[in-house]
Amino acid sequence: MTLNFEADQPVVGLKRQQALIRAVLGASSADESRWLEWKSQHDVSKAEGAFAVSKAVLGFANRSPDVAARWADGHAYLLVGVDETALYGVTPHDIEKVDSWLGRYLGDFDRYQFTYVPFDNGEGTQQVMLVDVFPPRWGDPIHTLRKEFQNFYPGTVFHRYAGKTQPARPPEIEALTDRARRAAQRIDVTVDPANATIAVNRALDGVRQEARNLLQKGLLRQLDAPQLKPPFSSMSGLAGTPERRSPEEFRDEVEEFLDAFEATMDLSLAREIDRIGSPLRLRLANPGETFIEQVEVILRIPDTVQACLVAEEEVDWPTPPVTFGSRGFHNLTSTLGPVGYFNYARADSQYPEMEYEDGHLVIRYPAVDLRPHATMTLDPVALHSTRETSEPVQVEWCATATNVSGTVRRNLSIPVQRMDISYRLPHEMF
C-alpha cells in the first residue's frame, strides 16, 4: 500500500485533515516521509508522550527551507492516535496545558499549532491529534532540545530524515548553520536590458497558424490519393517496399513535422530581429562581495508580446514526412520517427523556458552562479508584437538564489520599434 494523498498544498480544513488520516490508514510504515509522521498512541500529559511529540516537532523545524518546500508549501504534519494498521485515538487535553507540556522540551519555539480531528473508521468516532509545524525559513536558528529525556541531553539537535527523526549528523548541522547565516545575507543583483527593443509588425498576425494550416492540408491530402502498388524487390526495407504506415501513424508524423516547422519559424524570425533589430540580452550583475549561487531570473511580460530564442546556428527547415503510399524509403523514415525533429524543439534545460500564465508571458532563465562584481549576459531572446503602439512595454523581473535569502523584484521599460520583418518561409513547401 502507498499513501494516497496529494501533498501539493497545506492540510487545511476538516475534510482535508480527515483525508490525511484516511490515507495513513491505507498506507504502509515506509510512507512516513520528510513532511509526515504518525504515532499510534501517546499521551502528551506524560513525559514520554510530550517528548515524542516535541522530538518530531523539532525534527520538522530543523529542515532546510528548500527541502521542506517540496511538500505542502513547507508545512509538516504529525498525527497521534493513528497508524497504518488501526485508528487508536487520543484523549484531548486543554490547549494551554499541552503547550506547557511541550514547552519543557521545545523552549520558546512556537511555530506550530495542533488540533484534534474527529474521525470515524466504522467503530465509533475517535479524536486524532494533528500537529502542524510551520515552514522553516532562511535565517531561522537551529532549534535544540531544552530538557533532558533519557539519553537525550539538552542541546540535542533533531533532524527529520526520510521516514525517521534522529539526532542531526554533521552535514545537517552544517546546512542548519548555513540556514541561520542567511539572515544577514540577502540577494543583491541588478538586471540591465541593454538596448533591447520590441519589434512591432502587424503583418505577422496569424502567419504561423496560416502556414501550419496550409502545410497540414497539403500533407493530409495524400491520404485521399490512389495508392501505388510497388514492384517486387528482394531488398527488404528499400525502394519498392509497400507502405507500412497506417493513416494514423502518418498523421502523427505530420503533426511532429508541423510542430518542428512552427518552432523553426520562431528561429527564423528571431534571426531576422537579431539582424535588423535589438533582441533582449539581459545583463545580470553582482555588485557585492558575496559569491551568489544559482541565481534564477524570471521575467513577466504582458501577453501582447511574443518571444523566441535567438539561435546561433543557421536555420535548417525540417523535411516533411515521406509521401504516403510512395515507393521511397518510407519505412526507414517511420522507424526514425520524431527523433529527427528533436533539435527544433529547443527543449533543452540550458535554454530559457517560456510559457503564458495569468495574462503574461513568463520567461525563466537557467540558474547561473555569479562571482563578486561579475556581470553575465543571459541568452538572447527576440521580442515581437502585432499590436501597434508607441508606448514602451513595462516588464517585471525578479531574481532569487540558493545560498542567500530574499527576492529582488524590479520593473523594466522596453521601447518598441516598427520593423519590416518576416518569417522568410521556404516557398518550395507551399
Side-chain angles (χ1 to χ4, degrees), residues 215 261 264-265 268 315 317-318 423-430:
L215 286 171
F261 190 87
T264 312
M265 287 181 69
S268 172
V315 174
W317 295 92
Y423 286 103
R424 297 191 176 276
L425 302 178
H427 299 293
E428 64 272 13
M429 289 191 185
F430 296 91

Side-chain angles (χ1 to χ4, degrees), residues 232-236:
F232 172 76
S233 171
S234 61
M235 300 181 67
S236 176

Side-chain angles (χ1 to χ4, degrees), residues 23-63:
V24 168
L25 286 168
S28 73
S29 58
D31 290 319
E32 290 187 290
S33 65
R34 293 181 182 271
W35 70 276
L36 178 63
E37 181 178 359
W38 55 79
K39 296 182 179 298
S40 59
Q41 293 175 321
H42 274 302
D43 184 351
V44 292
S45 68
K46 309 296 183 183
E48 182 180 1
F51 169 77
V53 171
S54 299
K55 176 186 174 184
V57 169
L58 291 171
F60 285 137
N62 283 328
R63 296 175 300 159

Side-chain angles (χ1 to χ4, degrees), residues 50 88 162 176:
Y88 300 93
L176 288 171

Side-chain angles (χ1 to χ4, degrees), residues 332-354:
L332 179 61
T333 304
S334 298
T335 301
L336 292 175
V339 176
Y341 300 142
F342 176 80
N343 290 335
Y344 299 97
R346 305 302 297 272
D348 198 301
S349 60
Q350 66 177 304
Y351 297 108
E353 297 178 359
M354 295 180 285

Side-chain angles (χ1 to χ4, degrees), residues 94-155:
D94 181 77
I95 291 178
E96 291 185 0
K97 290 183 178 180
V98 174
D99 281 338
S100 175
W101 295 328
L102 299 183
R104 299 170 187 171
Y105 302 98
L106 297 178
D108 294 333
F109 179 75
D110 61 357
R111 286 184 50 76
Y112 72 95
Q113 65 181 15
F114 70 91
T115 187
Y116 293 102
V117 182
F119 191 86
D120 187 350
N121 197 32
E123 299 178 357
T125 300
Q126 299 273 13
Q127 299 292 326
V128 175
M129 185 181 188
L130 185 148
V131 184
D132 177 355
V133 183
F134 301 159
R137 303 165 298 186
W138 295 116
D140 281 354
I142 300 176
H143 304 294
T144 63
L145 182 67
R146 297 308 175 98
K147 178 180 171 61
E148 180 180 345
F149 181 82
Q150 295 180 354
N151 295 329
F152 297 106
Y153 298 99

Side-chain angles (χ1 to χ4, degrees), residues 408-427:
V408 180
R409 199 179 301 274
R410 301 283 188 275
N411 290 322
L412 299 174
S413 181
I414 302 181
V416 299
Q417 179 182 0
R418 181 69 175 83
M419 292 186 189
D420 185 16
I421 52 177
S422 69
Y423 286 103
R424 297 191 176 276
L425 302 178
H427 299 293

